[in-house]
Amino acid sequence: MIRKVFIAALLATFAVGSAMAQESCESKAVGKDGKPLAGAAKTSFMKKCMANDCAAKAKSSDGKPLSGAAKKSFMTKCEKGG
């Protein structure tokens, strides 16, 4: 019983963590005046933010940075949210 509760709590923690990561770019999309960005400015910011987030995650299973076609494929998939 305790094991099931622990596993459920662990899974919930990861679910919240991934939701927070997805909202990070959205929450950072604020102009210098403190107002949320809109339109083309928001689109540009979101694209740049997602590219930066994905680039930081582009690592192989052994922890080395990806390069070439592998990196391009990873970046395309990551930026689409897949």
Side-chain angles (χ1 to χ4, degrees), residues 4-74:
K4 289 181 182 180
V5 171
F6 176 74
I7 291 172
L10 186 64
L11 291 174
T13 302
F14 284 120
V16 169
S18 69
M20 296 279 281
Q22 291 175 351
E23 292 180 338
S24 66
C25 286
E26 186 75 31
S27 64
K28 292 177 189 176
V30 180
K32 292 180 182 178
D33 58 358
K35 295 181 183 177
L37 295 175
K42 184 176 182 181
T43 303
S44 174
F45 177 84
M46 293 297 289
K47 185 176 181 180
K48 188 176 184 182
C49 183
M50 289 298 292
N52 289 340
D53 286 350
C54 289
K57 296 176 190 175
K59 299 193 188 290
S60 66
S61 60
D62 60 355
K64 294 180 181 177
L66 295 175
S67 62
K71 184 175 182 179
K72 183 177 180 182
S73 174
F74 176 84

